[in-house]
Amino acid sequence: MNEIAPRKTLPRLDESLLTHLPPFSRLEKRQIRTILDQATSRRYDAGVAVFEEGHDADRFYMLLDGYVRVVRITPTGEQVTALHIPAGQLLGIAKAIGRDTYPATAMTATESIALSWPMRLWDTFVTEYDGFATETYKTLGHRVGEMNTRIVELATQQVEQRVANALLRLINQTGRKVDGGIEINFPITRQDLSELTATTLHTVSRLLSGWEKQGLVESKRKRIKVCDPHALVVLSQG
Amino acid sequence: MNEIAPRKTLPRLDESLLTHLPPFSRLEKRQIRTILDQATSRRYDAGVAVFEEGHDADRFYMLLDGYVRVVRITPTGEQVTALHIPAGQLLGIAKAIGRDTYPATAMTATESIALSWPMRLWDTFVTEYDGFATETYKTLGHRVGEMNTRIVELATQQVEQRVANALLRLINQTGRKVDGGIEINFPITRQDLSELTATTLHTVSRLLSGWEKQGLVESKRKRIKVCDPHALVVLSQG
DNA sequence: TCAACTCTTTGACCTAGCACAAAGTCCGCC
DNA sequence: GGCGGACTTTGTGCTAGGTCAAAGAGTTGA
């Protein structure tokens, strides 16, 4: 099981952390200061839970750095990744959808840093801070769209297409241009990729081996570089 | 393609239509009157689109009677049902998630009746009517939960379990107690069921035939009666 | 430098459920 | 009342991709 580590307040936070992030970008310096003073900052190792499904939704988060995946764990213990959340987005906003427990578990995919606030401040944020609610709901809308897409993919696409799509999404969100291609910016195992695409690590491994032979990708342990994104797009279309 | 039929105003609407529905239940009679006076009422035949994916989200709806399924259509023309919405719920609330086009198509599963309002009234509803926003976001939260569940199902369950689950959900939402079991309250084809569970009508047909032989269900053309829900629950658990 | 992990690859086999095909049944309409 | 269309059933392959098994290759730390 994943322990949830205790929070820890770090030295005074700088305002520039938030000023460029949409939910806060319309606020005055003074407001941002207040928000930061109420925040708790914390670093998370890779692979730990930020919060867990079913637990009391007592805090909401802003991911400042790193990458989080939102997973659900089935009765039989399999993990299914429902969403990936990149830095700069809110997380654990159960209150926004009228829930008082978290509907899923959030696990870090890499080492990450997040601010968090007690959920009792939620209503204040929504009413006091101009643009906060709107931006939050946009994020929500975006996520609903992604979930929809995922449902359609699962329902209609072959494994090969799904894996290709997942890879493309990952390099779009977190790709880093490197020599000879675009590399996924954090360590990711075949197992992770299989949980994202609802297949087995064996199948993912076979697919990647095949693609590597064709020169579409290069990969080492926990690292994947896409050399020919266009070919992947073609594959992903079936 | 599905034509979207023109709206038509019916005779003066009665307040009791809304008073017992959560988004409106806290309002005063006077407010409900205003809301109704601004509403357009319309009847939809079975199998027509209430609104379509990608179109301008210019109205939001309250389903008063009937049943709507929210579908997405893939590039290859297959339909995937993302959600089922029963009477008494809001529909087409794109604005609530910061979108200005509808993210999916809503098709009636039966003959249905819905009220609708121009989207420009949305903000008024949210700010003026006590409880409206909260209830709306609860609905949204509920739907997000359902989508999550669907993703997990698609990712981990066998076809038989998914079909069993779909049937159970349908009788829970719209089951009508009848002689010898619970019947789904509207006409539903094997094709519909296969779109709900991401399989083929052939497989659904085979499964239902099998279950019928074991006495779990009885079905005629477009009608399904579940005789032994408990056995279905067992099946659905794998 | 070796032991213990964790991650990856590859092979051999097997089966759930899809595709294709054809026939049967129910229903509304002319 | 019978014709045409919409729905359903059932049979016969076939194959994508899962399962099981085993071995190889990085990584960590003592």
Side-chain angles (χ1 to χ4, degrees), chain A residues 190 202 205-206 209 221-222:
Chain A
R190 323 280 143 157
H202 306 271
S205 178
R206 281 182 240 271
S209 297
R221 178 174 244 246
K222 289 194 177 192

mmCIF file of all heavy atoms in Angstrom, chain A residues 190 202 205-206 209 221-222, chain C residues 6-12:
data_model
loop_
_atom_site.group_PDB
_atom_site.id
_atom_site.type_symbol
_atom_site.label_atom_id
_atom_site.label_comp_id
_atom_site.label_asym_id
_atom_site.label_seq_id
_atom_site.Cartn_x
_atom_site.Cartn_y
_atom_site.Cartn_z
ATOM 1 N N ARG A 190 7.013 -0.245 -19.226
ATOM 2 C CA ARG A 190 6.007 -0.910 -20.093
ATOM 3 C C ARG A 190 4.744 -1.170 -19.288
ATOM 4 O O ARG A 190 3.643 -1.099 -19.802
ATOM 5 C CB ARG A 190 6.518 -2.247 -20.620
ATOM 6 C CG ARG A 190 7.972 -2.295 -20.973
ATOM 7 C CD ARG A 190 8.253 -1.699 -22.299
ATOM 8 N NE ARG A 190 9.532 -0.984 -22.210
ATOM 9 C CZ ARG A 190 10.311 -0.700 -23.218
ATOM 10 N NH1 ARG A 190 9.944 -1.026 -24.435
ATOM 11 N NH2 ARG A 190 11.428 -0.053 -23.060
ATOM 12 N N HIS A 202 3.371 -7.343 -21.589
ATOM 13 C CA HIS A 202 3.940 -8.196 -22.632
ATOM 14 C C HIS A 202 3.609 -7.664 -24.014
ATOM 15 O O HIS A 202 4.475 -7.532 -24.877
ATOM 16 C CB HIS A 202 3.417 -9.619 -22.497
ATOM 17 C CG HIS A 202 3.624 -10.198 -21.139
ATOM 18 N ND1 HIS A 202 4.755 -10.870 -20.770
ATOM 19 C CD2 HIS A 202 2.855 -10.139 -20.037
ATOM 20 C CE1 HIS A 202 4.673 -11.231 -19.510
ATOM 21 N NE2 HIS A 202 3.524 -10.787 -19.039
ATOM 22 N N SER A 205 5.453 -4.504 -24.702
ATOM 23 C CA SER A 205 6.853 -4.802 -24.997
ATOM 24 C C SER A 205 7.008 -5.290 -26.439
ATOM 25 O O SER A 205 7.880 -4.829 -27.177
ATOM 26 C CB SER A 205 7.357 -5.873 -24.025
ATOM 27 O OG SER A 205 8.694 -6.199 -24.318
ATOM 28 N N ARG A 206 6.149 -6.207 -26.839
ATOM 29 C CA ARG A 206 6.211 -6.700 -28.214
ATOM 30 C C ARG A 206 6.019 -5.572 -29.221
ATOM 31 O O ARG A 206 6.742 -5.468 -30.211
ATOM 32 C CB ARG A 206 5.140 -7.763 -28.446
ATOM 33 C CG ARG A 206 5.500 -9.126 -27.918
ATOM 34 C CD ARG A 206 4.391 -10.135 -28.239
ATOM 35 N NE ARG A 206 3.827 -10.724 -27.044
ATOM 36 C CZ ARG A 206 4.298 -11.835 -26.470
ATOM 37 N NH1 ARG A 206 5.323 -12.464 -26.979
ATOM 38 N NH2 ARG A 206 3.738 -12.303 -25.382
ATOM 39 N N SER A 209 9.086 -3.343 -29.339
ATOM 40 C CA SER A 209 10.172 -4.034 -30.040
ATOM 41 C C SER A 209 9.965 -3.934 -31.548
ATOM 42 O O SER A 209 10.895 -3.625 -32.299
ATOM 43 C CB SER A 209 10.211 -5.509 -29.649
ATOM 44 O OG SER A 209 10.479 -5.637 -28.283
ATOM 45 N N ARG A 221 15.393 1.008 -20.931
ATOM 46 C CA ARG A 221 14.725 0.868 -19.634
ATOM 47 C C ARG A 221 14.106 2.210 -19.149
ATOM 48 O O ARG A 221 14.839 3.168 -18.892
ATOM 49 C CB ARG A 221 15.828 0.395 -18.676
ATOM 50 C CG ARG A 221 15.430 0.222 -17.274
ATOM 51 C CD ARG A 221 16.580 -0.393 -16.506
ATOM 52 N NE ARG A 221 16.138 -1.709 -16.053
ATOM 53 C CZ ARG A 221 15.973 -1.997 -14.768
ATOM 54 N NH1 ARG A 221 16.243 -1.114 -13.848
ATOM 55 N NH2 ARG A 221 15.557 -3.185 -14.402
ATOM 56 N N LYS A 222 12.812 2.226 -19.038
ATOM 57 C CA LYS A 222 12.087 3.374 -18.489
ATOM 58 C C LYS A 222 12.161 4.658 -19.327
ATOM 59 O O LYS A 222 11.759 5.723 -18.861
ATOM 60 C CB LYS A 222 12.568 3.703 -17.072
ATOM 61 C CG LYS A 222 12.151 2.688 -16.038
ATOM 62 C CD LYS A 222 12.358 3.268 -14.660
ATOM 63 C CE LYS A 222 11.874 2.316 -13.595
ATOM 64 N NZ LYS A 222 11.816 2.983 -12.288
ATOM 65 P P DT C 6 11.759 -5.580 -6.318
ATOM 66 O OP1 DT C 6 11.072 -4.861 -5.228
ATOM 67 O OP2 DT C 6 11.261 -6.878 -6.820
ATOM 68 O "O5'" DT C 6 11.867 -4.625 -7.577
ATOM 69 C "C5'" DT C 6 12.909 -3.653 -7.691
ATOM 70 C "C4'" DT C 6 13.024 -3.257 -9.154
ATOM 71 O "O4'" DT C 6 13.916 -4.174 -9.848
ATOM 72 C "C3'" DT C 6 11.698 -3.309 -9.911
ATOM 73 O "O3'" DT C 6 11.671 -2.159 -10.728
ATOM 74 C "C2'" DT C 6 11.801 -4.592 -10.729
ATOM 75 C "C1'" DT C 6 13.294 -4.619 -11.031
ATOM 76 N N1 DT C 6 13.896 -5.923 -11.388
ATOM 77 C C2 DT C 6 14.837 -5.952 -12.388
ATOM 78 O O2 DT C 6 15.187 -4.961 -13.001
ATOM 79 N N3 DT C 6 15.360 -7.195 -12.661
ATOM 80 C C4 DT C 6 15.040 -8.381 -12.030
ATOM 81 O O4 DT C 6 15.582 -9.415 -12.361
ATOM 82 C C5 DT C 6 14.045 -8.274 -10.983
ATOM 83 C C7 DT C 6 13.611 -9.498 -10.238
ATOM 84 C C6 DT C 6 13.523 -7.071 -10.707
ATOM 85 P P DC C 7 10.395 -1.740 -11.556
ATOM 86 O OP1 DC C 7 10.290 -0.277 -11.451
ATOM 87 O OP2 DC C 7 9.266 -2.620 -11.171
ATOM 88 O "O5'" DC C 7 10.812 -2.114 -13.049
ATOM 89 C "C5'" DC C 7 11.799 -1.318 -13.707
ATOM 90 C "C4'" DC C 7 12.228 -2.034 -14.960
ATOM 91 O "O4'" DC C 7 12.679 -3.357 -14.628
ATOM 92 C "C3'" DC C 7 11.115 -2.227 -15.996
ATOM 93 O "O3'" DC C 7 11.512 -1.510 -17.161
ATOM 94 C "C2'" DC C 7 11.058 -3.740 -16.221
ATOM 95 C "C1'" DC C 7 12.437 -4.185 -15.732
ATOM 96 N N1 DC C 7 12.511 -5.600 -15.289
ATOM 97 C C2 DC C 7 13.389 -6.476 -15.928
ATOM 98 O O2 DC C 7 14.089 -6.039 -16.855
ATOM 99 N N3 DC C 7 13.453 -7.767 -15.521
ATOM 100 C C4 DC C 7 12.688 -8.192 -14.525
ATOM 101 N N4 DC C 7 12.798 -9.482 -14.167
ATOM 102 C C5 DC C 7 11.783 -7.319 -13.850
ATOM 103 C C6 DC C 7 11.727 -6.040 -14.260
ATOM 104 P P DT C 8 10.664 -1.542 -18.494
ATOM 105 O OP1 DT C 8 11.057 -0.371 -19.290
ATOM 106 O OP2 DT C 8 9.252 -1.839 -18.188
ATOM 107 O "O5'" DT C 8 11.295 -2.819 -19.196
ATOM 108 C "C5'" DT C 8 12.616 -2.745 -19.693
ATOM 109 C "C4'" DT C 8 12.904 -3.976 -20.523
ATOM 110 O "O4'" DT C 8 12.830 -5.147 -19.684
ATOM 111 C "C3'" DT C 8 11.919 -4.211 -21.658
ATOM 112 O "O3'" DT C 8 12.675 -4.141 -22.857
ATOM 113 C "C2'" DT C 8 11.318 -5.587 -21.392
ATOM 114 C "C1'" DT C 8 12.328 -6.209 -20.446
ATOM 115 N N1 DT C 8 11.800 -7.201 -19.469
ATOM 116 C C2 DT C 8 12.277 -8.480 -19.521
ATOM 117 O O2 DT C 8 13.089 -8.861 -20.326
ATOM 118 N N3 DT C 8 11.744 -9.323 -18.576
ATOM 119 C C4 DT C 8 10.814 -9.007 -17.600
ATOM 120 O O4 DT C 8 10.417 -9.843 -16.804
ATOM 121 C C5 DT C 8 10.368 -7.635 -17.596
ATOM 122 C C7 DT C 8 9.362 -7.190 -16.596
ATOM 123 C C6 DT C 8 10.864 -6.804 -18.521
ATOM 124 P P DT C 9 11.967 -4.309 -24.254
ATOM 125 O OP1 DT C 9 12.774 -3.556 -25.235
ATOM 126 O OP2 DT C 9 10.517 -4.089 -24.108
ATOM 127 O "O5'" DT C 9 12.214 -5.855 -24.512
ATOM 128 C "C5'" DT C 9 13.545 -6.337 -24.572
ATOM 129 C "C4'" DT C 9 13.496 -7.831 -24.811
ATOM 130 O "O4'" DT C 9 12.928 -8.476 -23.667
ATOM 131 C "C3'" DT C 9 12.632 -8.245 -26.001
ATOM 132 O "O3'" DT C 9 13.499 -8.884 -26.923
ATOM 133 C "C2'" DT C 9 11.582 -9.187 -25.413
ATOM 134 C "C1'" DT C 9 12.211 -9.606 -24.092
ATOM 135 N N1 DT C 9 11.276 -9.924 -22.995
ATOM 136 C C2 DT C 9 11.357 -11.160 -22.398
ATOM 137 O O2 DT C 9 12.139 -12.019 -22.732
ATOM 138 N N3 DT C 9 10.469 -11.351 -21.358
ATOM 139 C C4 DT C 9 9.531 -10.441 -20.883
ATOM 140 O O4 DT C 9 8.797 -10.730 -19.937
ATOM 141 C C5 DT C 9 9.508 -9.170 -21.559
ATOM 142 C C7 DT C 9 8.534 -8.121 -21.123
ATOM 143 C C6 DT C 9 10.365 -8.977 -22.571
ATOM 144 P P DT C 10 13.096 -9.091 -28.445
ATOM 145 O OP1 DT C 10 14.315 -8.855 -29.237
ATOM 146 O OP2 DT C 10 11.852 -8.373 -28.721
ATOM 147 O "O5'" DT C 10 12.783 -10.642 -28.481
ATOM 148 C "C5'" DT C 10 13.335 -11.464 -27.472
ATOM 149 C "C4'" DT C 10 12.623 -12.804 -27.455
ATOM 150 O "O4'" DT C 10 11.859 -12.915 -26.239
ATOM 151 C "C3'" DT C 10 11.651 -13.073 -28.590
ATOM 152 O "O3'" DT C 10 12.122 -14.228 -29.265
ATOM 153 C "C2'" DT C 10 10.296 -13.263 -27.918
ATOM 154 C "C1'" DT C 10 10.690 -13.631 -26.501
ATOM 155 N N1 DT C 10 9.730 -13.231 -25.448
ATOM 156 C C2 DT C 10 9.490 -14.111 -24.414
ATOM 157 O O2 DT C 10 10.021 -15.196 -24.325
ATOM 158 N N3 DT C 10 8.592 -13.666 -23.476
ATOM 159 C C4 DT C 10 7.915 -12.461 -23.487
ATOM 160 O O4 DT C 10 7.134 -12.174 -22.595
ATOM 161 C C5 DT C 10 8.208 -11.582 -24.603
ATOM 162 C C7 DT C 10 7.540 -10.263 -24.721
ATOM 163 C C6 DT C 10 9.093 -12.004 -25.520
ATOM 164 P P DG C 11 11.387 -14.961 -30.467
ATOM 165 O OP1 DG C 11 12.443 -15.531 -31.319
ATOM 166 O OP2 DG C 11 10.350 -14.082 -31.046
ATOM 167 O "O5'" DG C 11 10.684 -16.174 -29.693
ATOM 168 C "C5'" DG C 11 11.503 -17.147 -29.055
ATOM 169 C "C4'" DG C 11 10.626 -18.193 -28.403
ATOM 170 O "O4'" DG C 11 9.926 -17.587 -27.287
ATOM 171 C "C3'" DG C 11 9.551 -18.768 -29.330
ATOM 172 O "O3'" DG C 11 9.577 -20.186 -29.234
ATOM 173 C "C2'" DG C 11 8.255 -18.184 -28.788
ATOM 174 C "C1'" DG C 11 8.578 -18.000 -27.307
ATOM 175 N N9 DG C 11 7.767 -16.984 -26.663
ATOM 176 C C8 DG C 11 7.632 -15.667 -27.036
ATOM 177 N N7 DG C 11 6.826 -14.992 -26.252
ATOM 178 C C5 DG C 11 6.410 -15.933 -25.313
ATOM 179 C C6 DG C 11 5.522 -15.789 -24.215
ATOM 180 O O6 DG C 11 4.926 -14.781 -23.845
ATOM 181 N N1 DG C 11 5.370 -16.987 -23.521
ATOM 182 C C2 DG C 11 5.996 -18.162 -23.849
ATOM 183 N N2 DG C 11 5.724 -19.215 -23.066
ATOM 184 N N3 DG C 11 6.826 -18.309 -24.859
ATOM 185 C C4 DG C 11 6.979 -17.163 -25.550
ATOM 186 P P DA C 12 8.750 -21.077 -30.236
ATOM 187 O OP1 DA C 12 9.585 -22.258 -30.562
ATOM 188 O OP2 DA C 12 8.166 -20.246 -31.307
ATOM 189 O "O5'" DA C 12 7.569 -21.562 -29.279
ATOM 190 C "C5'" DA C 12 7.858 -22.014 -27.964
ATOM 191 C "C4'" DA C 12 6.561 -22.538 -27.367
ATOM 192 O "O4'" DA C 12 5.879 -21.439 -26.723
ATOM 193 C "C3'" DA C 12 5.585 -23.089 -28.403
ATOM 194 O "O3'" DA C 12 4.935 -24.203 -27.823
ATOM 195 C "C2'" DA C 12 4.650 -21.912 -28.673
ATOM 196 C "C1'" DA C 12 4.594 -21.258 -27.294
ATOM 197 N N9 DA C 12 4.318 -19.829 -27.301
ATOM 198 C C8 DA C 12 4.724 -18.893 -28.230
ATOM 199 N N7 DA C 12 4.326 -17.675 -27.958
ATOM 200 C C5 DA C 12 3.614 -17.818 -26.772
ATOM 201 C C6 DA C 12 2.940 -16.888 -25.972
ATOM 202 N N6 DA C 12 2.868 -15.593 -26.228
ATOM 203 N N1 DA C 12 2.329 -17.369 -24.865
ATOM 204 C C2 DA C 12 2.399 -18.670 -24.589
ATOM 205 N N3 DA C 12 3.017 -19.637 -25.269
ATOM 206 C C4 DA C 12 3.607 -19.133 -26.368
#
